[in-house]
Amino acid sequence: MLERVDYDRTQHAGYAKGRALLPVSRDNWRRAFREHAGPGRVRTVLDVGSGTGRFTPVLADAFGCAVIGVEPAERMRAVAETEAARPNVEYRSGSAADLPVPDASADLALMFLVWHHVPDRAAAAAELARVLRPGARLLIATTLADRRKDLLLYRYFPRTREIDGALFPTRAETADLFAAAGFEESALVEVHHRSAESLAEYVERQRMRALSVYEHLTDEEYEEGMAAMEADAAAETEPVPVEAECDLLVLSRR
Ligand SMILES: C[S@@+](CC[C@H](N)C(=O)[O-])C[C@H]1O[C@@H](n2cnc3c(N)ncnc32)[C@H](O)[C@@H]1O
């Protein structure tokens, strides 16, 4: 059993910088959010597990409406409040199973790389069903255990592939749980995400250790992977972007 990652412990320090969105990725995600927001007018959006506010302003730009970022880790929220503040964005304390908003008050919710951190998933699905209006969409950007991609990370830190298999639920597990809470699957799409413009830039980001999966590695495993990556980055003659297709599961509130 893998220990739960507490973002208030170390992740909050390097997350905003280590995981900053490149413009091309920001554009791809903004487009995907708009494409899959559903037919109704979007007036209130929730960013559940908003962290340091990486996607909260993107949602505000995409829909031009009020966005509420809900985040349980105080220090992640504090970074969002200083670095990702916008006039129509608000950050609140809460969690997926305890959302600080009234019944049927949101037209869209996003959970970006959050679902695998939620300990009480059935309660969270029921809570998301409570706060979303009928017909509203829930967008879940996540790895699915049975659809793991060939990530560069897995090459340098081989055990992270196995850890992801244990951490992330499968597509069927996720769909069944949400079906029981009152959602149906609308789509499962891939969004192109570029993490860095070159391996050298990727190495810089990895030095911040701002990936929760690193917390499950020993220091030796992390250092060994970093040394191999640094050697390859030093030998890089042409910059090769680090990118992958990421799954976005689109659910509709019945
Ligand atoms: C990988 S970060 C993603 C943050 C942000 N969505 C992003 O993509 O940058 C995961 C976030 O989920 C939060 N989290 C953990 N457990 C949660 C829960 N039960 N409900 C909501 N968020 C949770 C963590 O505190 C952390 O900020």
Side-chain angles (χ1 to χ4, degrees):
M1 182 80 176
L2 294 160
E3 204 182 311
R4 247 193 109 206
V5 172
D6 176 0
Y7 277 76
D8 274 337
R9 199 159 54 88
T10 52
Q11 289 292 313
H12 66 93
Y15 196 96
K17 203 160 173 223
R19 302 284 289 274
L21 278 180
L22 293 178
V24 62
S25 298
R26 184 183 304 120
D27 291 347
N28 289 351
W29 285 108
R30 190 200 293 115
R31 199 175 312 115
F33 297 157
R34 285 178 61 91
E35 238 169 69
H36 296 285
R41 191 166 156 218
V42 176
R43 283 159 300 196
T44 305
V45 180
L46 297 179
D47 183 10
V48 178
S50 45
T52 56
R54 193 162 63 133
F55 284 97
T56 331
V58 179
L59 290 165
D61 290 348
F63 299 103
C65 69
V67 183
I68 302 167
V70 178
E71 168 57 45
E74 208 173 303
R75 293 165 120 176
M76 293 290 276
R77 218 169 52 246
V79 175
E81 277 157 359
T82 52
E83 294 186 19
R86 296 287 184 285
N88 49 351
V89 163
E90 187 193 336
Y91 296 100
R92 295 185 189 170
S93 173
S95 71
D98 184 14
L99 294 168
V101 296
D103 294 358
S105 60
D107 308 296
L108 181 73
L110 170 70
M111 293 185 91
F112 201 105
L113 288 180
V114 170
W115 190 233
H116 59 298
H117 291 297
V118 173
D120 37 6
R121 291 194 190 130
E127 179 67 345
L128 286 155
R130 177 186 74 77
V131 303
L132 286 168
R133 294 200 177 98
R137 296 275 168 90
L138 169 60
L139 307 178
I140 303 189
T142 188
T143 296
L144 294 163
D146 51 335
R147 286 173 54 92
R148 275 167 292 170
K149 317 292 174 175
D150 183 24
L151 299 182
L152 183 79
L153 193 74
Y154 298 157
R155 205 178 308 157
Y156 291 102
F157 308 95
R159 210 161 57 79
T160 57
R161 189 174 200 288
E162 181 194 316
I163 293 169
D164 278 0
L167 276 178
F168 288 96
T170 62
R171 177 183 184 173
E173 281 163 359
T174 309
D176 288 353
L177 202 132
F178 277 104
F183 289 88
E184 60 195 31
E185 189 177 314
S186 290
L188 175 60
V189 295
E190 290 185 331
V191 179
H192 190 76
H193 181 90
R194 183 176 288 189
S195 306
E197 299 292 359
S198 64
L199 188 57
E201 184 195 328
Y202 191 68
V203 168
E204 283 305 312
R205 287 173 177 254
Q206 302 321 299
R207 283 206 186 101
M208 286 169 238
R209 216 168 164 164
L211 273 183
S212 62
V213 73
Y214 290 148
E215 301 209 8
H216 303 297
L217 297 182
T218 63
D219 286 346
E220 291 71 31
E221 284 173 312
Y222 171 73
E223 295 303 342
E224 200 180 306
M226 285 301 292
M229 202 191 286
E230 278 163 7
D232 286 352
E236 189 180 49
T237 47
E238 288 290 315
V240 179
V242 178
E243 44 199 358
E245 302 305 318
C246 298
D247 280 344
L248 179 68
L249 183 61
V250 183
L251 302 163
S252 292
R253 173 78 177 95
R254 281 198 290 268

